[in-house]
């Protein structure tokens, strides 16, 4: 399998109540973003945080906790 450097994309459809959507619109607008971009950015950040924490835990298992 070869990699071309471009990420594969897909579609995620969400159903949410109007109140949540309004809050997301407000937050996205404050950041100068669309709701879609805001949600994607939030998911990417959450994924990074989880992967970073996993890497820290693995390092601590290998080298021991920082004292």
């Amino acid at each position: 399998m070869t990699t071309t450097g471009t990420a594969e994309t897909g579609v995620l459809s969400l159903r949410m109540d109007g109140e949540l959507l309004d809050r997301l619109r407000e937050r996205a607008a404050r950041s100068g973003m669309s709701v879609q971009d805001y949600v994607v950015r939030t998911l990417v950040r959450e994924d990074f945080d989880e992967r970073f924490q996993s890497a820290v835990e693995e390092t601590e298992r290998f080298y021991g906790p920082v004292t």
Side-chain angles (χ1 to χ4, degrees):
M1 182 172 154
T2 60
T3 305
T4 61
T6 52
E8 218 176 290
T9 63
V11 175
L12 172 65
S13 178
L14 300 171
R15 183 177 302 270
M16 63 184 76
D17 66 27
E19 193 175 307
L20 175 58
L21 183 56
D22 288 343
R23 287 197 315 266
L24 286 173
R25 282 185 181 129
E26 289 174 14
R27 289 177 184 226
R30 278 187 257 146
S31 300
M33 304 171 85
S34 69
V35 172
Q36 178 180 337
D37 289 342
Y38 180 82
V39 170
V40 169
R41 184 189 72 167
T42 301
L43 292 171
V44 167
R45 183 177 59 231
E46 180 70 23
D47 179 60
F48 171 80
D49 290 347
E50 285 181 24
R51 289 183 292 128
F52 181 77
Q53 184 60 39
S54 294
V56 168
E57 290 168 0
E58 186 174 329
T59 300
E60 287 178 345
R61 279 193 301 274
F62 187 75
Y63 291 107
V66 176
T67 55

